[in-house]
Amino acid sequence: MPTTNSLDVISSLCKRRGFIFHSSEIYGGINGFWDYGPLGCEMKRNIKEDWWKTTVRNREDVAGLDATIIMHPAIWKASGHLDTFSDPMSTCKSCKKLMRADQVWDILADGEIGQGLAALIVGGVDAGKVAGWCKGKAKGLAPNLAAVRDADALTAAFEKIKADPAAYADAQALYVLLANAKGSQPAVTPCPYCGGELTEPRPFNLMFKTVVGPVDDPANVAYLRPETAQAIFAQFQNVQVTSRQQVPFGIAQMGKSFRNEVTPRNYTFRSREFEQMELEFFIRPDEAVELICGTVTTMADSPDLSVPQASWGWEVWHKYWVEQRKAWIQACGLPKDSFVEYWQKPEELAHYARACVDIEYSFPFGVQELEGIAARSDFDLTQHQKHSGKSMEVFDEPLKLAAAKLDEAAKAAFTAKVSAEWATRGKDAEAARAFVAKLFEGKYVPHVIEPSAGVDRMMLALLCNAYEEQKLTDEKGKEDVRVVMHFSPRIAPVKVAVFPLVKNKPEVYNKAREIFGHLRRRCAAFWDEGGAIGRRYRRQDEIGTPWCVTIDFQTLDDGTVTLRDRDTMQQERLTLDQLKAKLEEALL
Ligand code: ATP
């Protein structure tokens, strides 16, 4: 269990030990951009390599892709990003700050104003105390709030609170009152930074724009990709043909994405430049499965999700990927009870999506999305087919053979059944008939399940989860606090640290260098010859190094070294071969 719920504690350790720095720090930093230091970049690389190994290398049904960040702008028109990838944005008419309109109350709660108000109303709202706050502290904190600027507004607020204190028993309700006590029409949403009036929200497209080539002309505008997924759809045919994969199969990609987030916040959680690990797993439409297998397995059949089956419909594939992703998250070191599945409600789903699950982790600032797994139907490939004029259909031999076995009556019955089912989803009969006619030729546009994860969010969750402050008492009864990061060995930035017991005895020192040389060829190893062994252990505990190896005089006699375990602090003596075998087993 992590022993801090403070993002400040985590971020200060990350800066002090070289995990994460604010980008461009010497120039005052740039909001929403973060650099990963020596340990951070090792850890991030471990997360990505683990994802790649699990998602691509260890499977026979997934191929990889590494596409460019800037792509043809038509891709973003087809995907819908140009028209709809926006957040509602408001501006404060007084302090001019921009913010996401749907985050105003979160910003208020996190900030000094919200916390001041929350403290003020503990035990009940008192009109006198509120008036005192408006005339005192609020003059510095929220100078543009109506009740702070305007004596009449304060008097009106005072009367309203006296008449019904319970109505203002939470900070948000009280703040709204202090902005609107005189009955402003329409009601003002107060700025969470200064109390000024916010503008009506308007959509703000999150894509970063740039210009390709030397001429700064609208015709040359391009965008930094806001997600890695679209390149997978755009290259679908090339990858499918060259990898000789047949549906069901997936294409995976990881890399940088960029979103001009209106209010980047919560450390690296919402950044403007971040990395994603995305898989598009292409499946047969359920109608094709039915023709081939005579049935479609749904979750109502309680299927065994361990080995994919040809009869699985989209619902089972979706659940399969939810389980696969949860297993990976756990294998990286997040305990099962630290994250939850949030199944989006039908009214929250995009119009083309059939289901979407967010995996949410309990971050110090609340339960928030770590990654999402969406069943996106054939929307993406169909859009690119429409906009590019290039076919995104696949030919499915087993489907053609299955359809060839049907006589005309069976084909007509199947067509009628599909049309009726499509009608329940508001799709017209003509489209259903055209779709089924293609199925009988063995052709369709694949549907897709999309597990989409963020590297930075995963890393932040692992950092928060790993942190522990342990109170220790030594043999002399002296108390001490040990900070230890309990990273799983596969994610830890340094796997093993090597210490010579003494540095002024060449035999011990050289032996230690020799052993260090052996270990660093196998995994990320760290050399430390400075200070007492106990101090060296503590330095490694704080960066989560699972093992420390000390070379001493006994090593010269019998070839054994002392291996110290980070979590138990137990020590054992092992030969070099035993040590290598132990590391190999733990890191494989
Ligand atoms: P949110 O609702 O938190 O903005 P989203 O639903 O827009 O996230 P997706 O578009 O589904 O996110 O992106 C997939 C994953 O990419 C997210 O689950 C997250 O891990 C990561 N991600 C998205 N936006 C950011 C960001 N601004 N900073 C860091 N990671 C991000």
Side-chain angles (χ1 to χ4, degrees):
M1 275 297 281
T3 55
T4 182
N5 213 18
S6 159
L7 210 49
D8 289 344
V9 170
I10 301 294
S11 60
S12 88
L13 183 143
C14 284
K15 178 161 162 45
R16 187 160 34 84
R17 297 308 312 268
F19 282 89
I20 301 173
F21 308 125
H22 211 164
S23 164
S24 326
E25 194 183 286
I26 59 166
Y27 292 101
I30 170 166
N31 204 5
F33 296 88
W34 300 93
D35 293 341
Y36 289 81
L39 294 176
C41 67
E42 284 288 343
M43 180 165 167
K44 206 172 168 200
R45 187 177 290 258
N46 292 342
I47 295 171
K48 290 192 290 181
E49 274 175 10
D50 209 289
W51 183 85
W52 192 259
K53 205 164 91 184
T54 309
T55 312
V56 184
R57 295 238 176 92
N58 289 355
R59 299 185 65 105
E60 289 171 43
D61 56 358
V62 177
L65 179 70
D66 186 358
T68 57
I69 285 169
I70 295 177
M71 298 186 284
H72 196 294
I75 285 187
W76 307 113
K77 181 72 187 162
S79 68
H81 283 81
L82 257 185
D83 298 325
T84 61
F85 191 60
S86 53
D87 278 338
M89 186 185 70
S90 289
T91 314
C92 174
K93 292 180 183 172
S94 304
C95 71
K96 309 294 177 209
K97 280 211 165 79
L98 300 176
M99 69 209 76
R100 256 174 75 169
D102 56 345
Q103 288 178 351
V104 166
W105 305 122
D106 291 341
I107 297 170
L108 178 74
D110 290 349
E112 258 189 279
I113 302 178
Q115 282 165 14
L117 284 175
L120 195 69
I121 59 182
V122 171
V125 187
D126 178 292
K129 272 200 210 164
V130 174
W133 182 80
C134 289
K135 288 180 191 158
K137 275 203 175 140
K139 285 200 179 299
L141 284 178
N144 300 314
L145 194 62
V148 174
R149 270 189 293 106
D150 175 347
D152 291 347
L154 179 56
T155 310
F158 184 84
E159 295 305 331
K160 286 193 171 148
I161 296 169
K162 271 185 78 174
D164 187 5
Y168 308 107
D170 82 54
Q172 179 183 327
L174 183 57
Y175 199 51
V176 171
L177 171 75
L178 297 175
N180 291 284
K182 277 169 80 182
S184 341
Q185 281 304 331
V188 166
T189 303
C191 167
Y193 297 106
C194 76
E197 184 182 341
L198 293 184
T199 58
E200 277 296 302
R202 63 194 157 82
F204 169 74
N205 195 295
L206 298 182
M207 286 198 292
F208 279 100
K209 260 188 201 169
T210 187
V211 174
V212 174
V215 185
D216 190 350
D217 184 275
N220 297 334
V221 164
Y223 303 90
L224 304 192
R225 67 183 178 201
E227 60 172 43
T228 61
Q230 289 307 317
I232 296 179
F233 299 121
Q235 290 290 11
F236 170 74
Q237 288 291 15
N238 278 335
V239 178
Q240 197 254 329
V241 169
T242 53
S243 64
R244 298 176 53 238
Q245 291 278 0
Q246 299 292 330
V247 176
F249 80 102
I251 304 177
Q253 168 161 234
M254 56 191 185
K256 291 268 184 178
S257 291
F258 302 81
R259 294 184 189 178
N260 200 359
E261 298 281 0
V262 181
T263 28
R265 51 206 294 269
N266 294 330
Y267 199 25
T268 56
F269 179 83
R270 189 172 299 289
S271 304
R272 287 178 166 143
E273 175 174 340
F274 55 97
E275 283 193 81
Q276 289 183 306
M277 305 176 286
E278 296 195 295
L279 168 68
E280 301 302 328
F281 196 85
F282 299 97
I283 56 173
R284 290 172 168 138
D286 280 6
E287 295 84 348
V289 174
E290 186 174 346
L291 281 174
I292 295 167
C293 301
T295 180
V296 178
T297 306
T298 68
M299 286 311 294
D301 302 314
S302 310
D304 168 7
L305 292 176
S306 54
V307 184
Q309 301 295 326
S311 65
W312 283 5
W314 71 266
E315 196 196 11
V316 182
W317 274 112
H318 181 242
K319 183 69 179 149
Y320 165 81
W321 277 110
V322 172
E323 294 307 317
Q324 292 289 311
R325 297 303 307 141
K326 280 166 43 189
W328 181 78
I329 290 170
Q330 259 182 274
C332 288
L334 291 188
K336 208 173 175 179
D337 59 2
S338 67
F339 57 88
V340 291
E341 285 174 37
Y342 174 77
W343 287 74
Q344 288 186 11
K345 301 187 185 80
E347 63 274 20
E348 294 172 309
L349 290 173
H351 66 94
Y352 48 81
R354 291 191 158 170
C356 186
V357 174
D358 292 340
I359 307 286
E360 298 183 328
Y361 175 74
S362 304
F363 287 96
F365 43 86
V367 179
Q368 298 271 347
E369 177 179 329
L370 194 57
E371 66 172 86
I373 301 112
R376 298 176 60 88
S377 72
D378 60 355
F379 174 76
D380 305 276
L381 286 180
T382 303
Q383 283 296 103
H384 286 296
Q385 176 167 278
K386 221 185 280 171
H387 284 252
S388 68
K390 304 282 187 313
S391 169
M392 293 290 168
E393 284 173 359
V394 293
F395 175 67
D396 191 331
E397 181 84 33
L399 176 62
K400 174 103 190 275
L401 294 176
K405 290 186 191 142
L406 299 181
D407 60 21
E408 287 312 310
K411 281 186 176 174
F414 185 78
T415 309
K417 185 176 153 196
V418 172
S419 302
E421 200 274 322
W422 279 37
T424 64
R425 288 189 275 131
K427 292 190 166 183
D428 71 47
E430 195 47 51
R433 273 195 292 275
F435 167 73
V436 176
K438 286 272 187 183
L439 286 186
F440 292 154
E441 293 171 31
K443 292 180 190 164
Y444 55 80
V445 173
H447 286 224
V448 75
I449 308 293
E450 178 188 80
S452 171
V455 183
D456 310 74
R457 279 193 196 174
M458 185 64 186
M459 175 146 164
L460 183 58
L462 290 168
L463 285 163
C464 294
N465 179 71
Y467 187 92
E468 190 189 9
E469 284 173 21
Q470 286 178 344
K471 281 209 179 81
L472 301 179
T473 314
D474 69 14
E475 316 83 67
K476 294 179 193 145
K478 200 170 150 231
E479 290 207 338
D480 189 13
V481 175
R482 171 174 97 119
V483 173
V484 51
M485 296 296 272
H486 294 284
F487 295 133
S488 78
R490 62 205 262 190
I491 296 303
V494 177
K495 312 298 183 198
V496 61
V498 181
F499 311 150
L501 181 68
V502 286
K503 59 178 176 186
N504 54 358
K505 296 282 179 222
E507 320 86 271
V508 173
Y509 190 88
N510 292 340
K511 187 71 188 165
R513 288 300 300 178
E514 183 193 319
I515 291 176
F516 177 54
H518 279 293
L519 295 179
R520 76 197 302 199
R521 280 198 291 278
R522 288 175 165 74
C523 61
F526 185 81
W527 173 261
D528 190 355
E529 59 184 45
I533 291 288
R535 299 275 297 270
R536 289 185 242 173
Y537 283 153
R538 291 297 169 82
R539 286 201 287 265
Q540 294 306 314
D541 291 343
E542 205 188 29
I543 62 166
T545 305
W547 301 286
C548 295
V549 169
T550 305
I551 288 84
D552 55 18
F553 293 100
Q554 193 182 330
T555 315
L556 304 178
D557 289 341
D558 63 8
T560 63
V561 298
T562 304
L563 181 77
R564 185 259 198 183
D565 182 279
R566 174 195 67 199
D567 296 337
T568 63
M569 294 191 283
Q570 297 294 316
Q571 302 184 5
E572 58 180 323
R573 285 209 77 97
L574 298 176
T575 64
L576 186 56
D577 283 343
Q578 286 170 326
L579 175 63
K580 284 185 202 161
K582 182 163 182 136
L583 293 181
E584 221 141 84
E585 194 193 325
L587 297 175
L588 264 185

